[in-house]
Amino acid sequence: MKELIGLTREELTQEMLSIGQKAFRAKQLWQWLYFFGETDFDKMTNLAKPFRQLLKQNYTITRPKVITEQTSTDGTRKWLVEFSDGARVECVYIPESDRGAVCISTQVGCAQGCKFCHTGTQKCQRNLTVGEIVGQVMVARDSYNEWPTKTDENRMLSNIVVMGMGEPLCNFENLKKALAIFNDGDGMAISKRKITVSTAGRADKIPELADIGVKLAVSLHAPNDKIRDKIMPINHKFPLEKLINACKEYQKRSERRMFITMEYVMLKDVNDSLECAEELSQLVKGLEVKFNLIPFHPWPGAPFECSSTNQINRFSKLLENKYFAAPIRRSRGKDIMAACGLLKSATKK
């Protein structure tokens, strides 16, 4: 039995041709899978019964198994989902007043080992498949009953941020296919401008995101190599000069010169001095960026403390005086360990 979720549109077309069906059957099936979110072949009423029977005999439509679903007092919702081999990841929905973003994972665990990140204490076990990446958004849509898809103007689950567990650009081929499924106008129809991919600094892959057309967020977290080497091991392979040059290439290749979000977790006495803020303003010269200042979220055994509110405000003010947007992110879902840097799960034993 072959799983249909995760096949690209082209792959689905070839699959239908391989079982003696016309190509248009793939379009019909695609709409049932990704527009209506249907998992039961018998309910695909515009398909002939013999075709439905053939599908049932040869294919499956599955979702990740929801192990737990938690809703924060602020409305944030987190799912722990399990895949067929027992591997588990967490994904999160972060609501706003009239919309919201689904934060999805791309790996089981993470190999980057960023010192301030709870996820990084769980070693990377494997990449997620295309279907497992896409399935997380489908779980969120199931939970909020957002099938069939709504328009961008009134959809609650309006955005996707690829910044959950794992380094997305270390699973680049599967990520690209998943993004194509999200974007397709006959299915989920989530526009590229509403999708953000976050990377810890895979400078070699960043320019390729421009060709896909999605937004870029960079987990920067330090203004110089000395500090970044200590808190982000990836910096030894991709130091800041390479990273900044890759960001410049991304903006050069983008159809629309999109702003890059520079994520910056505020660590007391590590990267939060006004001198660091001054260095940051020099580091990103020549780029169109906005900073996202993130109060550090403590977790058991964490070796850092969060910067004081006053210090974060001063840091933000200095960057704004340099004509950079530097908002302070409002923490969401802390009571259910759903905030930035807190996601972690375990393989089923």
Side-chain angles (χ1 to χ4, degrees):
M1 300 287 279
K2 189 167 187 177
E3 176 60 47
L4 291 179
I5 300 299
L7 296 182
T8 65
R9 190 154 182 173
E10 294 75 17
E11 290 168 343
L12 185 60
T13 299
Q14 289 303 312
E15 195 64 36
M16 293 301 99
L17 293 174
S18 74
I19 60 172
Q21 299 296 313
K22 300 291 185 181
F24 77 89
R25 291 298 191 193
K27 181 175 181 178
Q28 289 178 310
L29 191 52
W30 184 270
Q31 290 176 328
W32 281 111
L33 296 176
Y34 296 117
F35 183 83
F36 293 105
E38 187 54 68
T39 59
D40 186 346
F41 290 116
D42 285 328
K43 294 181 180 179
M44 299 180 182
T45 51
N46 68 335
L47 305 182
K49 286 186 178 180
F51 180 43
R52 280 182 266 163
Q53 188 62 32
L54 181 63
L55 291 172
K56 286 194 291 183
Q57 291 170 350
N58 292 279
Y59 301 101
T60 57
I61 305 169
T62 57
R63 297 279 198 270
K65 180 181 178 182
V66 177
I67 302 301
T68 61
E69 178 178 290
Q70 299 172 276
T71 302
S72 168
T73 54
D74 63 25
T76 300
R77 187 170 295 182
K78 182 176 78 169
W79 299 270
L80 172 64
V81 299
E82 182 179 283
F83 304 113
S84 59
D85 64 350
R88 296 176 174 181
V89 301
E90 292 185 319
C91 50
V92 175
Y93 172 64
I94 306 165
E96 300 296 339
S97 59
D98 59 347
R99 59 185 176 82
V102 184
C103 179
I104 61 174
S105 299
T106 52
Q107 296 180 309
V108 182
C110 185
Q112 303 312 306
C114 299
K115 304 302 182 184
F116 49 83
C117 182
H118 196 213
T119 309
T121 64
Q122 178 183 340
K123 302 303 180 183
C124 185
Q125 298 168 34
R126 66 171 177 85
N127 286 332
L128 297 188
T129 66
V130 179
E132 290 168 344
I133 296 171
V134 172
Q136 294 170 71
V137 177
M138 302 183 92
V139 163
R141 284 236 172 130
D142 289 345
S143 181
Y144 283 90
N145 193 28
E146 285 220 342
W147 305 103
T149 186
K150 300 177 182 179
T151 65
D152 281 351
E153 286 71 30
N154 61 11
R155 180 190 293 155
M156 285 295 295
L157 281 66
S158 58
N159 294 56
I160 294 174
V161 287
V162 189
M163 55 178 70
M165 297 174 60
E167 166 53 55
L169 301 190
C170 286
N171 190 12
F172 195 55
E173 293 307 311
N174 287 347
L175 173 65
K176 285 195 293 185
K177 289 183 176 182
L179 293 175
I181 292 172
F182 294 144
N183 296 157
D184 191 278
D186 289 329
M188 291 189 179
I190 300 172
S191 67
K192 294 175 181 180
R193 62 189 176 87
K194 291 185 178 293
I195 299 177
T196 300
V197 175
S198 176
T199 176
R202 279 293 304 263
D204 56 332
K205 296 293 185 181
I206 284 174
E208 293 184 54
L209 285 176
D211 301 331
I212 299 172
V214 295
K215 293 182 178 180
L216 171 65
V218 176
S219 293
L220 188 60
H221 308 310
N224 57 57
D225 287 322
K226 182 178 180 180
I227 295 175
R228 205 165 191 264
D229 281 345
K230 292 179 180 178
I231 62 175
M232 299 185 71
I234 194 173
N235 199 65
H236 295 289
K237 185 173 183 180
F238 299 107
L240 283 172
E241 182 178 3
K242 288 185 178 180
L243 178 56
I244 296 300
N245 285 338
C247 290
K248 290 178 179 178
E249 181 64 20
Y250 165 85
Q251 288 193 323
K252 180 180 177 181
R253 286 163 62 165
S254 296
E255 288 185 13
R256 296 172 287 109
R257 191 171 167 83
M258 293 184 288
F259 273 81
I260 297 171
T261 299
M262 294 293 184
E263 298 169 327
Y264 199 92
V265 65
M266 301 298 297
L267 304 173
K268 182 180 179 180
D269 299 330
V270 176
N271 65 353
D272 64 346
S273 69
L274 297 185
E275 289 76 16
C276 285
E278 184 68 44
E279 278 189 85
L280 276 180
S281 69
Q282 297 301 313
L283 178 68
V284 299
K285 273 191 173 180
L287 286 170
E288 293 184 40
V289 306
K290 60 180 179 181
F291 290 96
N292 192 359
L293 304 183
I294 307 168
F296 173 66
H297 302 120
W299 38 269
F304 302 105
E305 296 179 38
C306 183
S307 306
S308 70
T309 300
N310 286 340
Q311 186 63 18
I312 298 174
N313 287 335
R314 286 193 289 267
F315 198 97
S316 173
K317 186 65 174 177
L318 189 150
L319 289 173
E320 289 176 348
N321 287 340
K322 299 287 185 178
Y323 304 104
F324 294 104
I328 301 167
R329 181 186 292 180
R330 180 164 62 98
S331 295
R332 303 293 296 273
K334 287 196 296 182
D335 56 328
I336 58 170
M337 293 288 282
C340 182
L342 294 182
L343 299 188
K344 188 176 181 181
S345 63
T347 299
K348 182 180 179 182
K349 295 182 179 180

